[in-house]
Amino acid sequence: GKVITMTFVDPGVPRKANHFFNTAAKKAVAAVIAGDAAAGCERPYTYDEVARWMLTSEKLSKNRIGDYLGRTDEHAMATIDAFLGHLDFTPFVFDEALRFFLSLFKLPGEAQQIDRIMEKFAAQYTKAHPQTFTSAETAYVLAFSLIMLNTDAHSDQITNKMTLEQFINNNKGIGADGANLPAELLTRLYNSIHANEIILEQVRPEPEP
């Protein structure tokens, strides 16, 4: 598939904050938002800048970013909204957008965190592609379906692979008002996932207290 890139402006969060984030993400973001010297800051940073820091810093742990974006505290929820606000999915078909999104961080291990992150992704994609999905719920269900298909297609542990027919069947009625998505769309997604694995690195750090 095509290489997907987006350019983000580095907000210049001090280097000291990188290490702080990788050891205690929640405290680090609170310190950066407050402009706290503990994070090496000389001024407060906005959620928009925190999001751009996560998108541009090579030094931040992708595990920590994923864990943080799935949290429910006020700072984290405002950060994921800003984070997704920077992602323009308009040029991308669904699996390209999903691949790109999942390359920016590691999905956390906890189901509810994954849920929250994927809901935000689905809403942002639907906003960019109202003609493909009339409801974010459809995009949300389909995103999970693709992640499951990806595991099925590329895991050595699974010998009976899901067929195209099974994949289409599994996604029956997920459109608005129980409508079916076009078979062409589902076929293209199925073939794309089979041809090109979405790399989900399942490295699990110790969760933060």
Side-chain angles (χ1 to χ4, degrees), residues 8-11 47-57 86:
F8 309 104
V9 180
D10 180 350
Y47 291 119
D48 183 81
E49 289 174 313
V50 168
R52 282 191 283 128
W53 174 40
M54 292 179 183
L55 287 163
T56 55
S57 175
H86 280 291

Side-chain angles (χ1 to χ4, degrees), residues 6 8 48-49 51-52 55 81-88 124:
M6 290 186 204
F8 309 104
D48 183 81
E49 289 174 313
R52 282 191 283 128
L55 287 163
D81 286 342
F83 188 92
L84 272 147
H86 280 291
L87 305 181
D88 175 16
Q124 185 72 2

Side-chain angles (χ1 to χ4, degrees), residues 77-168:
M77 288 166 79
T79 300
I80 191 171
D81 286 342
F83 188 92
L84 272 147
H86 280 291
L87 305 181
D88 175 16
F89 292 137
T90 315
F92 308 129
V93 292
F94 190 64
D95 64 300
E96 290 172 341
L98 185 64
R99 274 174 210 285
F100 177 71
F101 182 59
L102 295 176
S103 74
L104 300 173
F105 57 88
K106 302 286 182 290
L107 269 179
E110 209 226 305
Q112 283 171 312
Q113 286 182 299
I114 296 174
D115 229 38
R116 285 191 285 272
I117 292 171
M118 297 312 289
E119 269 182 1
K120 296 285 187 184
F121 163 77
Q124 185 72 2
Y125 189 85
T126 304
K127 212 162 67 180
H129 293 268
Q131 73 292 359
T132 308
F133 301 118
T134 47
S135 109
E137 182 66 21
T138 303
Y140 168 76
V141 174
L142 188 58
F144 269 108
S145 187
L146 289 188
I147 291 171
M148 283 159 61
L149 173 66
N150 188 63
T151 305
D152 180 272
H154 299 285
S155 164
D156 299 337
Q157 271 84 52
I158 298 170
T159 44
N160 285 336
K161 300 294 185 190
M162 192 190 305
T163 64
L164 172 60
E165 288 68 33
Q166 287 169 327
F167 178 69
I168 290 175

